[in-house]
Amino acid sequence: TGVNTGDIQNLGLLSYSNSNPQTYPYFSIFKGTKPSIATFKTNYASLMTNDCLLKFIHDVKNDPTELLPTVISNLIVISSNYKAADKSGDAAWFCLYRRYTNNSVQGHAILGNIGLIDTGADLELPDLNIVAGNIYRIDNFKINLPSSWEY
């Protein structure tokens, strides 16, 4: 069965520790080639430093409205406040990610492709060019999860 409505803290991908900002979930937009999840976790620090154009964080202590994930059964709906891009570049892929602990690269992640409208990408945008300093937001981005998982 799905996750109970509003049960964000108990859904692994969006769960977090109120006392540990390193575990807060975030949604980031990257330039370059989308890596595998294993490569993403291995190269986490360099990808965040070199390729991350824009990052929204669900920071429950300092700015709980920057990233607003909502869980409705198996559907995650993500919205955000406006945020300025950190770097310029062509958006190519995104990641919804949460680390388990401060120094861990292990965590839950969903990676997807970004493309122009009607390309069939996981996230379609009217313009892929992200400009440093320009403001952006997420408005009702939906991720539909399966109701069960096989390992």
Side-chain angles (χ1 to χ4, degrees):
T1 65
V3 174
N4 293 332
T5 301
D7 196 10
I8 293 170
Q9 250 186 305
N10 294 318
L11 178 64
L13 182 60
L14 297 177
S15 64
Y16 54 86
S17 166
N18 284 329
S19 61
N20 187 350
Q22 293 297 319
T23 66
Y24 295 164
Y26 65 82
F27 185 93
S28 298
I29 294 177
F30 294 85
K31 64 181 180 176
T33 303
K34 181 183 79 173
S36 68
I37 289 179
T39 301
F40 170 78
K41 291 178 180 180
T42 302
N43 297 329
Y44 168 80
S46 66
L47 287 166
M48 293 305 295
T49 300
N50 300 319
D51 295 344
C52 183
L53 303 174
L54 180 59
K55 179 167 79 171
F56 299 91
I57 303 172
H58 184 60
D59 183 342
V60 296
K61 283 189 170 184
N62 299 309
D63 188 359
T65 62
E66 182 178 305
L67 180 68
L68 301 168
T70 304
V71 177
I72 305 168
S73 188
N74 296 9
L75 181 68
I76 299 172
V77 181
I78 300 173
S79 295
S80 73
N81 284 339
Y82 284 97
K83 182 160 184 196
D86 297 313
K87 293 183 177 73
S88 295
D90 286 337
W93 60 282
F94 68 88
C95 179
L96 177 62
Y97 184 61
R98 185 201 62 91
R99 294 189 290 179
Y100 295 140
T101 62
N102 280 0
N103 298 315
S104 173
V105 295
Q106 298 303 312
H108 300 289
I110 294 176
L111 278 61
N113 295 311
I114 299 175
L116 293 171
I117 303 295
D118 292 330
T119 61
D122 301 309
L123 173 59
E124 297 181 340
L125 302 174
D127 184 358
L128 300 180
N129 186 34
I130 304 293
V131 179
N134 282 5
I135 57 172
Y136 299 89
R137 73 178 176 135
I138 302 167
D139 186 26
N140 292 319
F141 178 61
K142 295 177 174 110
I143 299 173
N144 201 1
L145 300 173
S147 58
S148 64
W149 305 88
E150 293 183 24
Y151 297 95

